[in-house]
Amino acid sequence: MRIVDARVIVTCPGRNFVTLKIVCDSGVTGVGDATLNGRELAVAAYLSEHVIPALIGRDPARIEDTWQYLYRGAYWRRGPVTMTAVAAVDTALWDIKGKVAGLPVYQLLGGRSRAGVRVYGHASGETIPDALESVAEFVSRGYQAVRVQVAVPGMPGTYGISTQPVYEPATAGIADEATWSTPHYLAHVPAVFAAVRAEFGPELGLLHDVHHRLTPIEAARLGRSLEPYALTWMEDPTPAEMPDGFRVIRQHTTTPVAVGEVFNTIFDCAQLITERLIDYVRATVVHAGGITHLRRVFDLAALYQVRSGSHGATDLSPICMSAALHLDVAIPNFGLQEYMPHTAETDAVFPHGYRYADGFLHPAEEPGLGVDIDEELAARYPYRPAALPVNRLTDGSMHDW
Ligand code: CS2
Ligand code: MG
């Protein structure tokens, strides 16, 4: 079998998505998510200009060799744009391999290790009572774990507070500007989780996303202040470019740490894993080189008792979620899968077979990934320039969003 065509499909059913579709001479096709929030066209161009010409004529069955070719052959390695493009190719080739084998991809990854994939949802609120209502909504739908984000009084636009039915941080045009005050935030968060624990008891899994905004010692202070509430994890407590900063957090608190949604290769997390500085690695299929590479990350993590906790925001398409679930259900060290349901528009553009039930997602059972893109429908939603917000401290200096 040979690859005879490959095309990049950019569509915007409410938000931008980039998809790679690979076509084989047998007629079998495979799809891969290539969406990078706020930088979608960079990946589309990388694929169209630098990857697709090299794919035509290749044997689609040679997934590892293609991965190595795209990684080593570029000379310029790593980075979110490159690795999202590599991920899209890799994911599409696994889709093809599953279809040719007549098996759902998880069967090619060693078969089921669990009945279903436990997920967590995103509860939020402008106030603590609003957030308690939001948590109650997820509990009523069977969620066993919930991320909780609450606006910080006096700090408009706090990260993660959803004002729309489906949270979408990117806005049309140039970036919105948010304001941040670490002292206000650190003073407020413990009261949020004291209230949630008091209301929902000790069993419910609680998570919180710090979103890269603290210094290591501030993150250590936050982790210690949250210990009475036994969080499942504190996410992205500090920017991870300098992994040794996580040693400071580890020295001061037992609150579990999750990092990795912005990681794009195993090299981003190897030290964090091998020094046991984190408890969950959140890298995901679309941004970390696809199924082939993400499996390597999780296998390394398993040696150090680090579990997966893959990113699953709405700016990752149903193709990424479909692929993630095949990995999630098969790997031995699965931890938790983030799940933010897409809009009905998006689900129509990306028909898929995964299903939510009682706190779990279940991958499709059909051959391949169990997802596709309706190209005709996708064409009705042209790309719309959009950017993620930026974040400034109250004195105007740039901070991390
Ligand atoms: C967030 C993401 O879901 C999360 O954990 O960190 O929503 C993140 O803000 C977006 O994916 C950025 O595009
Ligand atoms: Mg996050």
Side-chain angles (χ1 to χ4, degrees):
M1 196 155 68
R2 285 287 176 266
I3 294 171
V4 292
D5 185 25
R7 50 185 176 267
V8 176
I9 301 143
V10 181
T11 182
C12 186
R15 69 142 358 265
N16 294 310
F17 292 107
V18 181
T19 302
L20 173 70
K21 176 164 266 189
I22 293 180
V23 184
C24 300
D25 51 5
S26 64
V28 174
T29 61
V31 288
D33 186 9
T35 306
L36 185 64
N37 202 352
R39 296 295 180 270
E40 290 86 358
L41 296 189
V43 182
Y46 191 100
L47 282 166
S48 301
E49 302 300 325
H50 306 296
V51 172
I52 288 176
L55 291 180
I56 306 305
R58 285 188 70 87
D59 175 356
R62 298 183 65 179
I63 297 179
E64 183 68 57
D65 181 63
T66 300
W67 196 96
Q68 297 295 332
Y69 179 89
L70 294 176
Y71 182 78
R72 298 167 190 257
Y75 186 74
W76 313 105
R77 297 181 178 192
R78 303 167 69 182
V81 173
T82 301
M83 297 316 294
T84 298
V86 173
V89 175
D90 184 81
T91 305
L93 295 182
W94 275 103
D95 193 16
I96 290 165
K97 192 174 275 287
K99 288 175 178 175
V100 169
L103 291 169
V105 167
Y106 73 79
Q107 292 291 13
L108 305 178
L109 298 171
R112 277 184 181 280
S113 296
R114 53 195 56 79
V117 172
R118 198 161 70 99
V119 296
Y120 72 89
H122 277 207
S124 65
E126 284 295 337
T127 64
I128 291 178
D130 291 349
L132 293 178
E133 252 183 69
S134 179
V135 173
E137 169 60 23
F138 281 95
V139 169
S140 71
R141 281 188 257 149
Y143 281 76
Q144 299 175 13
V146 184
R147 186 188 89 162
V148 185
Q149 307 292 135
V150 180
V152 177
M155 211 159 75
T158 306
Y159 163 72
I161 310 307
S162 179
T163 51
Q164 316 128 345
V166 175
Y167 173 62
E168 172 48 65
T171 50
I174 62 166
D176 278 356
E177 300 225 344
T179 306
W180 178 258
S181 157
T182 293
H184 283 79
Y185 168 76
L186 290 175
H188 184 62
V189 175
V192 171
F193 287 92
V196 178
R197 269 295 173 235
E199 179 80 10
F200 295 95
E203 298 304 315
L204 181 62
L206 295 180
L207 308 97
H208 182 64
D209 195 345
V210 187
H211 221 260
H212 325 277
R213 297 178 182 207
L214 302 180
T215 64
I217 199 64
E218 291 166 346
R221 184 176 142 202
L222 175 66
R224 185 173 287 183
S225 73
L226 295 175
E227 283 178 11
Y229 315 114
L231 266 61
T232 301
W233 77 45
M234 167 172 74
E235 178 178 330
D236 289 330
T238 192
E241 287 94 324
M242 300 294 280
D244 64 326
F246 286 76
R247 290 191 196 123
V248 173
I249 300 170
R250 256 341 193 211
Q251 284 157 10
H252 293 278
T253 181
T254 57
T255 293
V257 172
V259 180
E261 67 183 54
V262 298
F263 290 172
N264 50 78
T265 68
I266 198 165
F267 307 109
D268 293 324
C269 47
Q271 182 182 349
L272 292 168
I273 290 170
T274 57
E275 289 192 20
R276 301 177 194 269
L277 299 178
I278 60 174
D279 304 277
Y280 296 87
V281 55
R282 301 201 69 243
T284 188
V285 169
V286 61
H287 298 137
I291 291 171
T292 300
H293 195 62
L294 191 58
R295 179 63 197 255
R296 292 218 153 87
V297 170
F298 292 154
D299 284 349
L300 173 66
L303 299 180
Y304 294 87
Q305 296 165 298
V306 173
R307 286 175 281 184
S308 73
S310 285
H311 190 202
T314 42
D315 47 283
L316 288 52
S317 90
I319 296 172
C320 178
M321 181 54 81
S322 300
L325 293 174
H326 285 282
L327 258 179
D328 289 340
V329 85
I331 59 173
N333 56 323
F334 168 76
L336 203 55
Q337 171 66 51
E338 179 178 14
Y339 176 43
M340 296 176 72
H342 291 97
T343 62
E345 282 173 304
T346 296
D347 286 342
V349 172
F350 297 97
H352 55 270
Y354 63 79
R355 291 284 169 261
Y356 172 81
D358 303 329
F360 291 79
L361 278 175
H362 300 275
E365 287 295 341
E366 64 211 73
L369 296 175
V371 62
D372 205 342
I373 181 167
D374 179 331
E375 294 186 65
E376 201 182 306
L377 190 53
R380 292 187 212 158
Y381 299 106
Y383 169 77
R384 276 198 324 234
L388 283 169
V390 297
N391 203 13
R392 291 184 183 274
L393 298 177
T394 48
D395 70 358
S397 42
M398 273 298 287
H399 196 57
D400 299 295
W401 177 73

